Amino acid sequence: GAVVSQHPSRVICKSGTSVKIECRSLDFQATTMFWYRQFPKQSLMLMATSNEGSKATYEQGVEKDKFLINHASLTLSTLTVTSAHPEDSSFYICSAQSRLANYEQYFGPGTRLTVT
Amino acid sequence: GNSVTQMEGPVTLSEEAFLTINCTYTATGYPSLFWYVQYPGEGLQLLLKATKADDKGSNKGFEATYRKETTSFHLEKGSVQVSDSAVYFCALSFMNTDKLIFGTGTRLQVFP
């Protein structure tokens, strides 16, 4: 089946630094990738949608300059949290979508970010 | 706005017990409805879906029926197993958009 990986699974960084999270579709080409954020005991909230080779579309209230998304190839999207602050600590989840799989979204296992 | 509400967990059951996890939705229009499951350490996986009223989605012994009159999509299984222990998410989306709107998730714990 379709597999999506995320790296790293956990990361701790200091306030003011930037951290990059990778999302890869391992056995299929993903025309679209999605980035979600999940707070404890809350829903997954869609942050942005990215299509390969074009700029990401951000949801209302998500800072574009804070959460940089790059979808450089059909198998890789990255989320960079810039100048991280403790309130950015959260669980970040990506998903990848393929038109060949009836547009179903396949999810990565998530990345736990802790900003100290 | 569009939203999904599901019961808070954890739901704790003994093996072979009957499972119900409630899910209701608020939507303008006629969404598709989904149940996703997340096993420990893994990504969300699509469990089942229904695209129109009265449709029943089923997979791995789980079932859910799209009830337009009660705006519900409750997940049921007749006899749970320890291996069903996971977090279950109810979600909706519309045909003209890829966006999924999730509920908060319900943790199921099944003991032998």
Side-chain angles (χ1 to χ4, degrees):
Chain A
V3 179
V4 176
S5 69
Q6 281 185 241
H7 178 79
S9 57
R10 291 177 179 269
V11 59
I12 300 172
C13 70
K14 292 189 175 180
S15 192
T17 62
S18 296
V19 61
K20 181 185 286 188
I21 302 169
E22 291 186 350
C23 175
R24 292 182 185 273
S25 56
L26 298 185
D27 50 3
F28 67 102
Q29 292 186 329
T31 47
T32 304
M33 287 187 169
F34 304 85
W35 286 96
Y36 296 84
R37 182 173 179 178
Q38 186 180 25
F39 293 99
K41 298 186 179 181
Q42 294 188 26
S43 306
L44 281 74
M45 302 299 295
L46 180 64
M47 298 174 65
T49 303
S50 72
N51 294 296
E52 186 261 339
S54 61
K55 288 185 179 180
T57 302
Y58 290 81
E59 294 299 301
Q60 193 172 10
V62 178
E63 299 176 58
K64 300 177 184 181
D65 296 331
K66 174 78 171 169
F67 300 100
L68 300 179
I69 292 172
N70 185 292
H71 191 162
S73 76
L74 286 172
T75 59
L76 173 65
S77 176
T78 61
L79 168 67
T80 302
V81 183
T82 62
S83 187
H85 291 283
E87 57 266 30
D88 299 325
S89 298
S90 192
F91 196 57
Y92 293 88
I93 301 172
C94 74
S95 71
Q97 184 184 64
S98 169
R99 69 169 77 92
L100 296 178
N102 202 27
Y103 295 96
E104 181 175 331
Q105 289 188 36
Y106 297 93
F107 286 81
T111 297
R112 171 77 60 194
L113 169 63
T114 303
V115 184
T116 61
Chain B
N2 302 313
S3 65
V4 175
T5 302
Q6 58 183 111
M7 59 191 291
E8 265 194 58
V11 174
T12 304
L13 295 172
S14 297
E15 206 163 25
E16 299 183 4
F18 185 85
L19 168 71
T20 300
I21 300 179
N22 290 337
C23 171
T24 57
Y25 67 90
T26 302
T28 51
Y30 303 101
S32 295
L33 301 174
F34 306 82
W35 277 100
Y36 283 84
V37 58
Q38 185 176 31
Y39 298 104
E42 298 183 19
L44 276 74
Q45 301 172 26
L46 179 62
L47 180 60
L48 53 84
K49 68 179 182 183
T51 57
K52 61 182 188 297
D54 299 325
D55 267 3
K56 177 186 283 188
S58 61
N59 186 25
K60 300 181 180 179
F62 290 89
E63 292 183 340
T65 301
Y66 190 141
R67 300 285 188 203
K68 181 181 160 189
E69 62 276 13
T70 54
T71 62
S72 65
F73 193 54
H74 304 322
L75 182 68
E76 297 182 335
K77 186 174 184 181
S79 175
V80 293
Q81 306 299 312
V82 172
S83 57
D84 293 326
S85 298
V87 181
Y88 292 81
F89 291 88
C90 187
L92 67 81
S93 74
F94 291 92
M95 279 184 65
N96 60 346
T97 174
D98 297 321
K99 296 181 185 179
L100 283 164
I101 297 171
F102 287 92
T104 53
T106 302
R107 181 175 299 279
L108 170 64
Q109 297 174 324
V110 181
F111 293 95

